[in-house]
Amino acid sequence: MEEKLFEKSPDMEERIKYLAEKEEQTLIRIRRELHKVPETGVYLPKTYEIIRRELQKIPGVEVIEHAAEGYGLIGIMRGKLSDGKTVLLRADIDALPVEEPEGLPYRSEHPGCMHACGHDGHAAWLIGAARILSDIRDNWGGCVKFVFQPGEEVGKGATALIEKDQVLENPKVDMAFAAHGWPSVESGKIGIARRYAFGCVGGFSIKIMGKKGHASWPEETIDPIAAAIEIYQHMPSVLTKKISGTEAKVFSVTYMQAGDVKIHNVIPETCEFGGTMRAANMDVLKRMGKELEKEVRAVCHVAGAEYKADIRIHGGAVHNAVDLLEGTEKTAKGILGEDKVYFIEHDHLGGENFSEFSSRVPAVYLFIGIRPKEKEQIPGLHSAEYRFDDHVLKGAAGVFAALGYYGCMGILQKQEKGTGTEEWKK
């Protein structure tokens, strides 16, 4: 690789910021157009057409259509210099089955469906990054892949892109980046998880089968509710006493159902409950599932009840690559400002199947703030009151463009001494 690729252009950050500013109104228009036609899962025909239309407008982008088994898109852009690395930039594009309240001029036109997680913004800022990188294509070499993934909310899309579409190959991806609009981070700022941006995700459904009977004679019954409550009460001790280590981990019971609300004098035959389990480490998550079933078995044995347990592992963690953290931080600060980017020291245990990418190539996931400065708190993800802040689009597009630019130049990743690759300059 030519040495000049490792030299930071002193005016490139200003140029990217200028181009991002120019794109702001276009990105707001695209984001609001996407917001009006939210689609869930992997069948996203209207979303797909809007993104395809916008990618086809961008000089230098080769559009790969019908990726991810139908409604995903991949934009391939090659710089005009002779050499460089390959960077993948990803946005998820699906919505949620949430009814949007009245009030916005660009409110969802699809009843019972809403962009309540901000994926419309993710798609818009990635289109913006492509537009910016196209304008500066004379200044970089290598390849940037712009990946628009359907089905993230239902755990799909990523595996198909990797295994069927071979998005990490031809050319081989050296690093990957993604981001989420984040309600707890102030607008105009970016938080970067020091370790885990998202955790390993699992779920559980437990059915306790007891013996039905009149509530006046509980001794003649086997109470499944009592057994379920005992299991629930023991779950914290499963984490603290049965599983060693200091890695973040949690059980959350999200539903419990038993009996008939119209009948108050019958102990029911069954009780069902379930929820989610999260851990930073996959081995810990698997151990959690095994220990939970052991607890269910023990409680049911003492109670004389039977049970059925469905314990599932859904996906791995999004672990931010240590050798990309410093370069990512410096890049984001160059676009947003020195005081606008910070590290988050605690692990997040939400779920995101960007883990399929981050488990295969070095990657960083960013939290892009959407909370207005004057507000201490705003509605969270998946809420009908969730609101995306359009003012962050230009900054996010600029940061993604800069990550693509410097990633292709080969100066984002720290290398061990003696490899011949320069590290970030202060």
Side-chain angles (χ1 to χ4, degrees), residues 253-266:
V253 173
T254 57
Y255 72 89
M256 185 173 286
Q257 300 172 340
D260 187 331
V261 295
K262 297 178 182 179
I263 302 174
H264 297 175
N265 61 351
V266 174

Side-chain angles (χ1 to χ4, degrees), residues 26-155:
T26 298
L27 301 187
I28 291 173
R29 173 187 59 77
I30 294 170
R31 205 281 295 181
R32 294 184 177 186
E33 184 179 3
L34 288 167
H35 190 87
K36 291 171 69 175
V37 292
E39 296 162 309
T40 60
V42 296
Y43 181 68
L44 317 177
K46 292 182 180 179
T47 303
Y48 176 90
E49 287 301 330
I50 293 169
I51 295 171
R52 180 173 66 169
R53 180 196 72 205
E54 294 299 329
L55 289 178
Q56 288 175 338
K57 294 178 183 178
I58 303 172
V61 173
E62 172 195 351
V63 182
I64 298 175
E65 301 181 13
H66 305 299
E69 300 181 315
Y71 293 93
L73 292 130
I74 303 168
I76 306 290
M77 184 187 294
R78 290 175 170 83
K80 292 185 177 180
L81 296 184
S82 60
D83 201 2
K85 291 183 177 290
T86 298
V87 179
L88 184 148
L89 306 176
R90 176 270 209 172
D92 39 9
I93 60 175
D94 53 325
L96 288 160
V98 174
E99 183 69 32
E100 184 166 19
E102 301 282 350
L104 290 177
Y106 49 90
R107 178 179 181 264
S108 168
E109 296 174 352
H110 295 170
C113 192
M114 175 188 173
H115 268 297
C117 205
H119 295 185
D120 49 346
H122 303 179
W125 67 46
L126 190 54
I127 291 169
R131 292 170 67 93
I132 294 168
L133 283 167
S134 177
D135 279 343
I136 61 173
R137 203 152 57 99
D138 290 343
N139 299 89
W140 56 276
C143 176
V144 178
K145 298 183 179 183
F146 305 93
V147 178
F148 297 84
Q149 178 195 323
E152 188 279 325
E153 294 289 359
V154 293

Side-chain angles (χ1 to χ4, degrees), residues 55-352:
L55 289 178
Q56 288 175 338
K57 294 178 183 178
I58 303 172
V61 173
E62 172 195 351
V63 182
I64 298 175
E65 301 181 13
H66 305 299
E69 300 181 315
Y71 293 93
L73 292 130
I74 303 168
I76 306 290
M77 184 187 294
R78 290 175 170 83
K80 292 185 177 180
L81 296 184
S82 60
D83 201 2
K85 291 183 177 290
T86 298
V87 179
L88 184 148
L89 306 176
R90 176 270 209 172
D92 39 9
I93 60 175
D94 53 325
L96 288 160
V98 174
E99 183 69 32
E100 184 166 19
E102 301 282 350
L104 290 177
Y106 49 90
R107 178 179 181 264
S108 168
E109 296 174 352
H110 295 170
C113 192
M114 175 188 173
H115 268 297
C117 205
H119 295 185
D120 49 346
H122 303 179
W125 67 46
L126 190 54
I127 291 169
R131 292 170 67 93
I132 294 168
L133 283 167
S134 177
D135 279 343
I136 61 173
R137 203 152 57 99
D138 290 343
N139 299 89
W140 56 276
C143 176
V144 178
K145 298 183 179 183
F146 305 93
V147 178
F148 297 84
Q149 178 195 323
E152 188 279 325
E153 294 289 359
V154 293
K156 296 183 178 181
T159 301
L161 283 161
I162 293 167
E163 295 182 356
K164 294 188 177 182
D165 301 311
Q166 297 290 297
V167 72
L168 297 180
E169 308 298 332
N170 305 315
K172 186 175 179 61
V173 169
D174 294 294
M175 63 196 78
F177 300 90
H180 207 300
W182 212 247
S184 63
V185 177
E186 183 182 315
S187 291
K189 295 186 177 182
I190 286 179
I192 306 173
R194 180 78 70 178
R195 297 200 318 161
Y196 292 97
F198 292 94
C200 303
V201 181
F204 56 92
S205 300
I206 311 293
K207 183 176 183 179
I208 310 296
M209 290 87 78
K211 181 181 177 184
K212 186 177 182 179
H214 200 285
S216 297
W217 298 282
E219 70 278 6
E220 296 180 3
T221 72
I222 297 174
D223 189 346
I225 299 176
I229 291 172
E230 186 172 355
I231 295 164
Y232 173 79
Q233 290 175 329
H234 289 179
M235 289 171 76
S237 66
V238 169
L239 295 177
T240 57
K241 296 181 179 179
K242 301 290 182 69
I243 302 173
S244 62
T246 58
E247 297 277 4
K249 50 191 179 292
V250 67
F251 283 120
S252 288
V253 173
T254 57
Y255 72 89
M256 185 173 286
Q257 300 172 340
D260 187 331
V261 295
K262 297 178 182 179
I263 302 174
H264 297 175
N265 61 351
V266 174
I267 291 174
E269 185 174 8
T270 63
C271 180
E272 298 184 41
F273 68 97
T276 188
M277 55 185 189
R278 309 290 173 99
N281 182 286
M282 181 58 78
D283 289 338
V284 171
L285 187 70
K286 291 178 179 178
R287 180 72 185 279
M288 288 168 63
K290 291 178 181 178
E291 291 295 338
L292 175 59
E293 184 162 5
K294 284 169 62 176
E295 188 66 32
V296 172
R297 185 185 308 121
V299 170
C300 288
H301 176 74
V302 172
E306 296 181 351
Y307 75 93
K308 291 181 181 178
D310 180 16
I311 298 173
R312 305 168 299 280
I313 303 297
H314 297 310
V318 177
H319 186 275
N320 282 342
V322 173
D323 60 342
L324 283 172
L325 287 176
E326 182 181 355
T328 301
E329 177 200 22
K330 288 181 180 294
T331 297
K333 284 183 174 180
I335 302 300
L336 299 182
E338 285 291 322
D339 61 338
K340 301 297 184 182
V341 183
Y342 61 94
F343 284 111
I344 298 170
E345 302 298 339
H346 61 276
D347 296 330
H348 280 270
L349 292 183
E352 231 282 12

